[in-house]
Amino acid sequence: MKPISLRKRIGLELHRKMMYQRRREHPLRQLFWECTHRCNLACRHCGSDCKQSSKLPDMPAGDFLRVIDSILPHLDMQARHNLNIVITGGEPTMREDLEKVGLELYRRELPWGIVTNGLALTPERFMSLRKAGLHNITVSLDGLPDSHNWMRGKPDSFDKAYAAIEMIAGVPELRFDVVTCVNRRSLAELEEIKELLIKAGVREWRLFTIFPSGRAARYPEFDLDREEMRQLLDFIVSTRKEGRIMASFCCEGFLEGYEMEARDHFFSCEAGVSVASVLLDGSIASCPSIRADYSQGNIYKDDFWEVWQTRYQPFRDRNWMRTGPCAECRQWRYCEGNGMHLRDSDGKLMHCHLLK
């Protein structure tokens, strides 16, 4: 990483105070619904170990909508419009009733979107989702054809994902971005990927890394070393300066001198602060990227809003994280232990960009 300038340090101090206030208020801004574990791919980096069929059945739509209806009395109209429902999985387009759920959310005046691999997003399905009130959509593209298909485990996955990207980019009123999992295979391809996305009409591009855990631990290609990480961040910074496409590094981890250069905001982990999720088994959780069990309740026995208001202490007071390498870290004041998804079930830090 690179050193923090005095100007940024002043900004970080102001941001730190704002985050304390935000944690006290914990406004719910994003609610993920893990609607299925079924998937039409078997990606090498998947944390959910999703498959074509799943041991766990899809959550009935009515169960999730009851959660939504229990939340609405606590939200004024502005808060309702600020709450984004993100349907994820697995692959959400595996559900035939996705439009039915989306339409019910639209009727409740809630913006909703999906995260998809694009494999099944035909023009007919896309139009059907738009008629159901689709507000935002994220598509994954993880490299040029060979790299993407290697990652996704299917020879036509790149072509279908790119076709979906071109189709979505043609609807300017839809909020839309592309996410790319950068690894050693794709790092050298970023310039070409950028040009493909610009050609397709993409305006926003998020890039992230995968640390070797779970299924991804089998593939050392996922783990960027310190110099490769600098290459990635320098690429993002230079792309942002070009202004042809708005690239940004994901919310993962404090970036020292790259803060406010590789993304639009200072680092903060919003899990349990403004982000919650309902998982497939009914667990009331936070960011669905968190693989360890930090669930705070279950919709089949607890009231979601009561859980949101009175629990989530491990997310809103991070002092318990100040152990191991974090205990003496010079950046603890601004990082406070990194993202929750980088902690195991015992609270141990599994990965940190500053330690590379």
Side-chain angles (χ1 to χ4, degrees):
M1 297 299 172
K2 60 182 181 180
I4 306 172
S5 67
L6 176 60
R7 182 179 180 182
K8 284 184 184 175
R9 199 170 292 277
I10 293 171
L12 284 164
E13 288 294 334
L14 294 173
H15 179 258
R16 183 169 174 265
K17 293 178 181 178
M18 290 173 59
M19 277 307 301
Y20 282 141
Q21 180 64 26
R22 191 174 178 86
R23 288 174 185 171
R24 284 193 293 269
E25 296 174 355
H26 49 266
L28 185 60
R29 293 287 184 262
Q30 196 164 45
L31 177 60
F32 287 89
W33 178 35
E34 185 184 55
C35 70
T36 183
H37 273 185
R38 292 182 293 135
C39 189
N40 45 18
L41 293 175
C43 302
R44 297 176 190 269
H45 66 309
C46 181
S48 301
D49 199 28
C50 300
K51 300 178 176 66
Q52 182 76 24
S53 60
S54 171
K55 294 179 181 178
L56 287 175
D58 294 354
M59 178 182 287
D63 293 357
F64 178 67
L65 291 172
R66 277 191 288 274
V67 173
I68 294 297
D69 287 336
S70 74
I71 295 172
L72 292 183
H74 304 282
L75 304 177
D76 60 25
M77 193 55 66
Q78 181 177 353
R80 185 180 300 200
H81 291 166
N82 287 338
L83 174 58
N84 186 39
I85 311 297
V86 182
I87 303 177
T88 184
E91 170 55 41
T93 59
M94 296 287 285
R95 289 189 65 128
E96 295 181 357
D97 63 350
L98 186 57
E99 286 86 347
K100 175 184 176 182
V101 177
L103 189 58
E104 290 299 325
L105 295 172
Y106 179 76
R107 287 170 175 165
R108 289 162 173 79
E109 299 188 59
L110 290 168
W112 68 276
I114 63 172
V115 179
T116 178
N117 57 40
L119 196 69
L121 198 64
T122 62
E124 295 77 18
R125 189 74 195 273
F126 182 48
M127 179 59 69
S128 178
L129 291 168
R130 288 178 60 197
K131 289 180 178 178
L134 181 70
H135 180 266
N136 53 80
I137 185 168
T138 295
V139 179
S140 300
L141 191 79
D142 295 313
L144 297 178
D146 287 346
S147 296
H148 179 91
N149 293 341
W150 171 82
M151 170 85 82
R152 298 288 167 174
K154 200 173 181 67
D156 61 346
S157 58
F158 175 90
D159 290 342
K160 291 189 175 180
Y162 192 71
I165 288 168
E166 288 184 305
M167 175 175 62
I168 299 165
V171 184
E173 65 270 19
L174 194 64
R175 290 189 59 187
F176 166 54
D177 67 354
V178 170
V179 294
T180 296
C181 170
V182 181
N183 55 75
R184 287 179 176 173
R185 282 175 172 249
S186 60
L187 181 62
E189 302 173 347
L190 291 179
E191 282 289 346
E192 291 181 76
I193 298 169
K194 178 183 72 176
E195 295 302 327
L196 282 174
L197 295 180
I198 293 171
K199 180 182 178 182
V202 176
R203 297 182 296 275
E204 296 185 38
W205 183 24
R206 282 183 293 143
L207 300 96
F208 66 103
T209 58
I210 291 289
F211 66 98
S213 177
R215 190 189 293 180
R218 307 173 199 168
Y219 306 100
E221 296 97 325
F222 287 130
D223 195 19
L224 301 185
D225 62 26
R226 176 179 284 271
E227 179 54 34
E228 289 165 334
M229 190 66 196
R230 286 183 66 96
Q231 289 177 37
L232 170 59
L233 294 175
D234 286 340
F235 168 79
I236 293 173
V237 172
S238 65
T239 298
R240 291 169 64 86
K241 288 178 179 178
E242 286 177 359
R244 299 164 65 212
I245 184 172
M246 182 49 66
S248 61
F249 189 63
C250 68
C251 60
E252 176 183 295
F254 182 66
L255 302 177
E256 291 188 315
Y258 286 100
E259 289 291 318
M260 292 297 288
E261 293 183 22
R263 54 190 170 215
D264 293 334
H265 54 84
F266 288 118
F267 166 72
S268 62
C269 179
E270 292 293 325
V273 179
S274 66
V275 177
S277 64
V278 175
L279 302 183
L280 188 62
D281 64 356
S283 294
I284 300 172
S286 49
C287 170
S289 295
I290 298 174
R291 300 176 186 180
D293 185 10
Y294 287 97
S295 298
Q296 301 295 296
N298 193 288
I299 64 168
Y300 294 113
K301 64 178 182 179
D302 300 304
D303 176 74
F304 178 93
W305 193 254
E306 187 274 335
V307 170
W308 178 252
Q309 291 299 330
T310 63
R311 304 187 197 180
Y312 285 91
Q313 284 80 8
F315 300 86
R316 297 168 187 170
D317 182 352
R318 305 292 180 96
N319 284 315
W320 63 272
M321 292 183 175
R322 199 164 190 175
T323 60
C326 294
E328 303 299 328
C329 180
R330 67 189 188 281
Q331 303 298 0
W332 166 265
R333 184 175 183 85
Y334 307 125
C335 178
E336 291 191 292
N338 222 314
M340 283 287 289
H341 70 292
L342 301 176
R343 299 274 165 173
D344 65 16
S345 296
D346 296 322
K348 181 180 178 181
L349 181 66
M350 297 183 288
H351 180 81
C352 176
H353 296 307
L354 305 185
L355 296 177
K356 283 187 171 291

